[in-house]
Amino acid sequence: MATQAEENYLKAIFKLSGAVERSVSTNALADALDTKASSVTDMVKKLSDKKWVNYQPYQGVTLSNKGKKMAIQVIRKHRLWEVFLVNQLHFRWDEIHEIAEQLEHIQSDKLIDRLDQFLGFPQFDPHGDPIPTADGKIRHHKDETLKDMNPGDVCEVVGVKAHEADFLQYLDGMNLIPGVRVEVKKRYAYDQSLVISVDQGTDIMVSSTVSRQLLVRKKSQTALAHP
């Protein structure tokens, strides 16, 4: 059984490695976990001794199959608890991350399976992140952002990359939340800001900083012609 600190490291390595499972540097881990590089090196060596990661000095770290399985289960618990907090306890999506960080370390698989069933087996959390299944399968989003869209494109917001509370509050105020329909009206060459309409409402302007944090799914012309 892993400690909370070990689970946090495994989860961070999984997220930083991405869908292609690239090697993660100790400096990147230190930044993500807000700790010293020397502390990261010590922990990574412990994780390597337990066969949860593959580590070579100066070459970064990757998860072993055992470590990947554990990381995915922690993420599964975190995202299921986020759904519970929003849907059942009516927390806002900008309030739930830190609470779920505590709840994700509960060790009862039976509880988590019951929670999944109670919630109706959700596929995505309130931020649009995919929830791993009990057997560890994850349906990754295509890595396409609003910044990648061009004038005339219509898309659906499917998730957010950044989970900071002030950013989520900003998105709430603009109604830029998962599930909404966005049409790109104009791009300014000067700073790559976009003029968009949200759910066919009033046009608004968003910066490139915001647009690169919004994951979207482009709507096909067929889908637009036959809603």
Side-chain angles (χ1 to χ4, degrees):
M1 184 180 296
T3 65
Q4 290 190 16
E6 289 168 339
E7 288 186 342
N8 287 337
Y9 268 81
L10 294 173
K11 182 177 69 170
I13 294 167
F14 180 84
K15 290 184 175 180
L16 290 170
S17 66
V20 296
E21 300 182 19
R22 57 183 170 270
S23 180
V24 177
S25 71
T26 52
N27 285 335
L29 263 177
D31 288 341
L33 295 167
D34 194 24
T35 190
K36 296 178 182 179
S38 58
S39 299
V40 170
T41 300
D42 290 342
M43 176 60 84
V44 166
K45 288 178 179 177
K46 292 179 182 178
L47 296 175
S48 180
D49 290 342
K50 293 184 176 182
K51 310 299 183 186
W52 285 331
V53 303
N54 306 304
Y55 173 64
Q56 291 291 332
Y58 310 109
Q59 295 182 24
V61 58
T62 59
L63 293 173
S64 66
N65 288 335
K66 178 182 175 182
K68 181 179 177 182
K69 181 179 179 180
M70 185 170 294
I72 289 173
Q73 289 306 310
V74 175
I75 291 169
R76 167 177 161 78
K77 288 185 284 186
H78 182 105
R79 294 176 180 174
L80 283 171
W81 282 121
E82 288 195 332
V83 175
F84 178 80
L85 290 168
V86 169
N87 290 3
Q88 303 300 318
L89 300 185
H90 310 297
F91 281 85
R92 299 190 310 271
W93 72 332
D94 59 285
E95 297 178 307
I96 57 178
H97 181 72
E98 290 185 1
I99 303 172
E101 287 276 301
Q102 301 171 53
L103 293 169
E104 70 186 24
H105 299 294
I106 292 173
Q107 295 299 322
S108 173
D109 291 336
K110 185 175 183 179
L111 171 62
I112 299 306
D113 289 342
R114 289 278 183 90
L115 177 65
D116 191 18
Q117 182 181 25
F118 174 76
L119 294 171
F121 305 103
Q123 294 186 338
F124 300 96
D125 74 10
H127 305 114
D129 293 320
I131 299 174
T133 61
D135 58 0
K137 294 179 181 178
I138 304 178
R139 191 173 85 178
H140 289 285
H141 288 306
K142 183 179 180 182
D143 193 15
E144 198 168 29
T145 68
L146 183 59
K147 191 174 186 295
D148 301 319
M149 299 295 104
N150 295 307
D153 287 343
V154 177
C155 56
E156 176 188 351
V157 176
V158 295
V160 293
K161 287 187 173 183
H163 292 181
E164 291 82 359
D166 55 352
F167 178 63
L168 297 177
Q169 290 163 11
Y170 167 83
L171 294 180
D172 260 340
M174 305 290 277
N175 195 33
L176 284 171
I177 58 177
V180 303
R181 177 183 184 272
V182 172
E183 181 177 357
V184 179
K185 298 293 190 68
K186 183 176 182 178
R187 181 190 299 276
Y188 285 95
Y190 173 70
D191 62 356
Q192 297 300 301
S193 58
L194 299 175
V195 176
I196 63 173
S197 68
V198 181
D199 276 346
Q200 299 179 312
T202 305
D203 290 355
I204 60 174
M205 184 181 293
V206 295
S207 68
S208 61
T209 301
V210 171
S211 64
R212 71 167 60 99
Q213 296 295 335
L214 287 170
L215 293 167
V216 299
R217 182 186 301 115
K218 189 175 179 180
K219 296 287 190 179
S220 68
Q221 293 302 316
T222 302
L224 293 175
H226 303 284

